Amino acid sequence: AHVEQAEWGALMVVAEGGRATVHVRGRRGGGGARSFAPDAVLVRQLVRGLTPRDYHTAALYGLLAAGLPAVNSLASVRRCLE
């Protein structure tokens, strides 16, 4: 098994045909950019912060659209946004 970890702000999710491809932006000043197709998700960080710059709901909606299984329900994470 392979585990990837990233912050919401570094993610771009493309959902297509019931599958998701996640692109993770590299860290400043270096490489580290990567792409992968996750089998499952574990959310450990708030999706929405205090400023509009910290709203990462697009990545969450991409994961939801792909129908990925999650340890903590993505639907419940979405409901906690309001």
Side-chain angles (χ1 to χ4, degrees):
H2 183 79
V3 176
E4 292 280 348
Q5 181 175 331
E7 295 181 4
W8 285 109
L11 297 181
M12 183 182 83
V13 179
V14 178
E16 190 173 17
R19 298 188 59 196
T21 301
V22 177
H23 304 280
V24 181
R25 196 175 49 233
R27 296 179 188 250
R28 290 184 192 159
R34 58 203 185 275
S35 297
F36 57 93
D39 295 319
V41 178
L42 168 64
V43 176
R44 295 181 55 198
Q45 180 185 17
L46 294 174
V47 178
R48 190 169 166 181
L50 298 175
T51 67
R53 181 179 170 197
D54 296 327
Y55 291 0
H56 307 294
T57 53
L60 174 63
Y61 289 135
L63 296 172
L64 279 163
L68 282 173
V71 174
N72 38 353
S73 163
L74 294 176
S76 68
V77 172
R78 182 184 58 84
R79 282 192 290 273
C80 289
L81 291 174
E82 300 302 320

